[in-house]
């Protein structure tokens, strides 16, 4: 059986490279963010220990720029540009599709729209060089030991798991966006009804009708906020500085409620 190749590398091998570097990227981010937060912070959108942004970025380097390794300065600059461009595109795509910003470099000097910044871009070059010069040769040696049938079987099983995880994650993101949008709409409607109540003056019948409508809207709004909090919980835990201009008020309410529940649990444990 002749397996399709891309630039001389079998597709199953490329897929395993993608998973390997996605896992290494997840480990690096998790260790860094956990040390910074002084608690375990599991990064990544997927349920499993993968950050695909690293996997795709490293595949680009492996496929197209490995020959530049003999020219370290050129390789470094190329890696900085390629990885930064990829990070910018992923940031833009997530903001466009989910209306939320999961990382933000706005406060870092020399940033571009808060999606990338020069200090991080310079580190991308270092990480890529170390990975290609020292990790990839060992990875290639391990991969050479896998006979094609075993490699196909391993890649196939892992692909099914990743596809299932991706489908689940996309569903959660879609539900998060849906309930955040509905919560914002309910908030706007609630504010409109409150203004109507203020204008109703002494019309008791109208006031009673509006107050009943307000009570129903408040219940609906609270339910929608709770649903948005439920579906966004994993993403908020992994990306603590998540921001959104569109959902700013609802996210602020979710954070306030989460802090209130945390304080209640803490007080209960201390008693």
């Amino acid at each position: 059986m002749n397996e399709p190749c891309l630039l001389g590398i079998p597709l199953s091998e490329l897929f395993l490279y993608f998973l390997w570097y996605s896992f290494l990227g997840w480990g690096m981010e998790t260790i860094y963010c956990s040390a910074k937060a002084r608690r375990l912070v599991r990064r990544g959108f997927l349920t499993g220990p993968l950050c695909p942004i690293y996997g795709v970025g490293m595949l680009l380097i492996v496929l197209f720029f490995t020959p530049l390794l003999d020219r370290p300065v050129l390789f470094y600059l190329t890696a900085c540009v390629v990885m930064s461009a990829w990070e910018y595109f992923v940031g833009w795509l997530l903001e466009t599709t989910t209306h939320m910003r999961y990382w933000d470099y706005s406060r870092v000097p020399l940033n571009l729209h808060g999606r990338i910044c020069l200090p991080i871009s310079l580190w991308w070059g270092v990480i890529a060089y170390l990975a290609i010069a020292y990790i990839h040769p060992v990875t290639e040696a391990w991969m050479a030991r896998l006979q094609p049938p075993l490699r196909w079987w391993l890649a196939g099983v892992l692909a099914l798991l990743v596809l299932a995880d991706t489908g689940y994650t996309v569903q959660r993101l879609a539900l998060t966006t849906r309930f955040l949008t509905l919560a914002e709409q309910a908030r706007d409607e609630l504010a409109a009804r409150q203004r109507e109540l203020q204008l109703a003056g002494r019309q008791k019948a109208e006031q009673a009708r509006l107050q009943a409508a307000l009570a129903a809207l408040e219940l609906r709004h609270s339910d929608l906020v709770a649903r948005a909090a439920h579906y966004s919980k994993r993403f908020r835990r992994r990306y603590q500085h998540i921001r959104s201009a569109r959902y700013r008020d609802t996210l602020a309410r979710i954070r306030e409620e989460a802090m209130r529940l945390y304080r209640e649990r803490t007080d209960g444990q201390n008693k």
Side-chain angles (χ1 to χ4, degrees), residues 4-269:
C5 297
L6 181 60
L7 298 181
I9 304 177
L11 293 185
S12 62
E13 187 173 326
L14 284 174
F15 180 69
L16 292 177
Y17 285 152
F18 161 75
L19 293 182
W20 173 237
Y21 289 116
S22 295
F23 171 74
L24 291 182
W26 173 87
M28 182 181 68
E29 277 211 12
T30 296
I31 291 171
Y32 172 77
C33 293
S34 297
K36 191 174 179 181
R38 297 184 180 180
R39 65 177 182 83
L40 179 61
V41 179
R42 296 177 70 254
R43 295 287 280 188
F45 284 90
L46 299 178
T47 306
L50 298 174
C51 280
I53 187 173
Y54 290 92
V56 173
M58 286 305 301
L59 278 188
L60 293 173
I61 299 296
V62 168
L63 284 170
F64 301 108
F65 303 108
T66 301
L68 298 177
L69 199 59
D70 293 334
R71 303 169 67 182
V73 175
L74 181 58
F75 177 89
Y76 171 80
L77 294 175
T78 302
C80 288
V81 172
V82 170
M83 296 296 284
S84 297
W86 173 239
E87 183 182 24
Y88 186 94
F89 171 76
V90 172
W92 169 83
L93 183 64
L94 287 171
E95 290 174 37
T96 302
T97 55
T98 69
H99 308 291
M100 288 189 283
R101 176 170 289 193
Y102 292 88
W103 64 86
D104 188 7
Y105 301 127
S106 296
R107 297 183 180 180
V108 181
L110 302 174
N111 72 83
L112 182 59
H113 302 148
R115 298 182 185 122
I116 58 175
C117 64
L118 184 60
I120 298 298
S121 296
L122 296 177
W123 272 111
W124 279 128
V126 173
I127 292 168
Y129 183 84
L130 293 175
I132 295 298
Y134 298 102
I135 297 176
H136 194 64
V138 177
T139 303
E140 281 186 309
W142 289 347
M143 198 69 68
R145 297 179 183 178
L146 292 177
Q147 295 300 316
L150 178 59
R151 190 178 69 230
W152 300 335
W153 179 86
L154 182 61
V157 170
L158 292 175
L160 290 176
L161 292 174
V162 172
L163 283 173
D165 195 348
T166 302
Y168 175 73
T169 300
V170 169
Q171 180 195 41
R172 303 292 283 194
L173 281 170
L175 288 170
T176 296
T177 301
R178 177 190 173 192
F179 284 111
L180 283 171
T181 300
L182 291 174
E184 287 291 317
Q185 291 173 352
R187 180 188 62 81
D188 292 341
E189 189 176 354
L190 190 60
R193 291 291 180 272
Q194 287 172 338
R195 287 194 296 270
E196 287 183 26
L197 182 60
Q198 291 174 351
L199 295 173
R202 297 181 179 180
Q203 301 176 29
K204 293 184 178 180
E206 183 67 10
Q207 282 187 343
R209 184 187 69 80
L210 288 171
Q211 285 172 346
L214 276 173
L217 274 172
E218 286 172 352
L219 285 174
R220 181 168 180 269
H221 182 234
S222 296
D223 177 64
L224 290 170
V225 170
R227 288 172 180 262
H230 170 71
Y231 289 113
S232 66
K233 185 176 182 180
R234 172 155 57 102
F235 309 117
R236 289 183 292 105
R237 280 185 173 180
R238 298 186 178 191
Y239 296 91
Q240 292 180 319
H241 301 294
I242 188 172
R243 291 176 50 201
S244 174
R246 177 175 291 193
Y247 308 126
R248 181 178 59 248
D249 293 334
T250 301
L251 286 174
R253 176 164 172 172
I254 289 173
R255 290 192 183 99
E256 289 172 2
E257 183 65 16
M259 287 300 298
R260 184 185 66 80
L261 292 174
Y262 173 77
R263 285 193 296 268
E264 287 180 356
R265 287 196 301 268
T266 304
D267 293 341
Q269 292 171 357

